[in-house]
Amino acid sequence: MRADEASDPATRTVLVVGANGFLGGFIVAALRGRGHRVLRGVRPVGKPIGEDERACDLTRMTKPDDWREVLDGVDAVVNASGILRETGIQRFETIHVAAPLALAQACIDRGIDRFVQISALGLPEDGEFIASKHRFDEALRQLPLQTVVLRPSVVYAAAGSYGGTSLLRALAGFPGMQVLPGDGRWPIQPVAAEDLGDLAALALEAPPGIYEVGGPEPMPLRDYQREWRRWLRISGKREIHVPEVLVTLQVGIFERLGSGPVGETMWRMLRRGNVTTPDAHARLRDAFNFAPRGLVQTLASRPSQVQDRWHAQLYFLTPMLRICMVVLWLLSAITGWLTPSADIERLVAGSPLQGIEPVVLARMAAVFDLVLAVLLLIGWRPRLVLVLMAIGVAAYTLVFGIALPALWLEPLGGLAKNLAVLPALGVLWVLADRR
């Protein structure tokens, strides 16, 4: 801790659970901007924990004793962890209730009296995501802690996006037209992630309670999307309305598959309207001496750059490119299996490849291509799979380009097409890290 921090009685050491998440990053920045020392609670992923990090695996840490060492030297806790849907061992009851409740009880044992919870605005009947968040909110308020619960509406950031907000930005940036789910009439009260981060930092001194967080006024989804399109500086005012029934069908399919940026809970929340109570903004200003800005004001403070348009317009191209690569590798596997042995031997006749069992090599390569196609399709370690694909293409191009140079001049491109496939794999490798 710096000397100026130690001399300031308001400076605290704050553990932020979920620090690597979208919201967590803004909360960490806001706390550090106010001079607090931040310990980032992160889930271990097989790499060493940094000096400013504490290992927090909410799938396992469901007893107060599990948090004892994590809380060494901590003065306050901000919990920004959460999941939008259940996958594998990540369950709502564990991540949203059992583990943070154990953390809160450990705080009491260690004499830590300030706990800030980032919850969500909505109704429990919207889905278990909201219901589990609110169960913990109520359990937390029963404990002898100074607790502040923040329940934000749709959270956005000009500097980035996550999940459903990434999808909405991509729809706003669709070339030539504005794509809207339904008629876009549903009201939301969006709040900037930077403002939510400021509120979380100010909550260390604010009066305990549950606070709904949103912009100054509700706005229909249609207007929200129009402001983003204007900010992105993308021309075209034509609107395409996707029927609600089709959106519901798509959301349901991806929910069953355990993927997709918008789950059934988010879709129900959106259609219900996700707005705060009329006095929520005034309560924030009274309690925090701060209230979130409106969308127009926030976007005006940070002009869009070409990289923002890249992100918005690559959103739908990324899965298309991935599927194209899967199909290409499947076709390569099929070709490797179905091409007659005589044709393979005729192709390599008189070349250095003739004496290395070309038929066996072609069949083995087909199996390898099939495995890579399946792994990329199911999303297993996509960057590793893409690297293996690139190595295979580079090796194939090098070997066949030298041994059979005539393949470069085939009428439909032949081997020359690999010169485009390799950078395409590189682009997909970069885009594999997406939210």
Side-chain angles (χ1 to χ4, degrees), residues 40-104:
R40 301 169 63 251
V42 299
R43 185 159 56 96
V45 289
K47 61 180 181 180
I49 297 294
E51 291 184 3
D52 67 339
E53 294 179 336
R54 297 284 170 90
C56 298
D57 186 350
L58 276 73
T59 63
R60 298 185 302 102
M61 301 171 70
T62 57
K63 299 178 181 179
D65 284 347
D66 297 331
W67 293 94
R68 191 170 302 277
E69 293 184 6
V70 175
L71 294 175
D72 283 346
V74 171
D75 301 313
V77 169
V78 178
N79 178 34
S81 63
I83 55 174
L84 295 176
R85 59 166 53 90
E86 295 181 327
T87 56
I89 63 173
Q90 297 190 26
R91 319 306 293 176
F92 286 128
E93 184 63 25
T94 304
I95 304 295
H96 290 173
V97 183
L101 189 56
L103 170 60

Side-chain angles (χ1 to χ4, degrees), residues 19 27-29 39 65 77 90 92 108 111 124 137 193 196 202 209 217 238 268 279 297 334 342 352 368 387 434-435:
I27 293 170
V28 168
L39 296 175
D65 284 347
V77 169
Q90 297 190 26
F92 286 128
I108 297 171
D137 297 347
L196 183 59
L202 292 170
E217 298 290 340
R238 181 185 177 194
R268 282 191 289 268
D279 66 339
Q297 180 185 359
I334 292 171
F368 185 59
V387 167
R434 54 181 271 148
R435 291 184 172 185

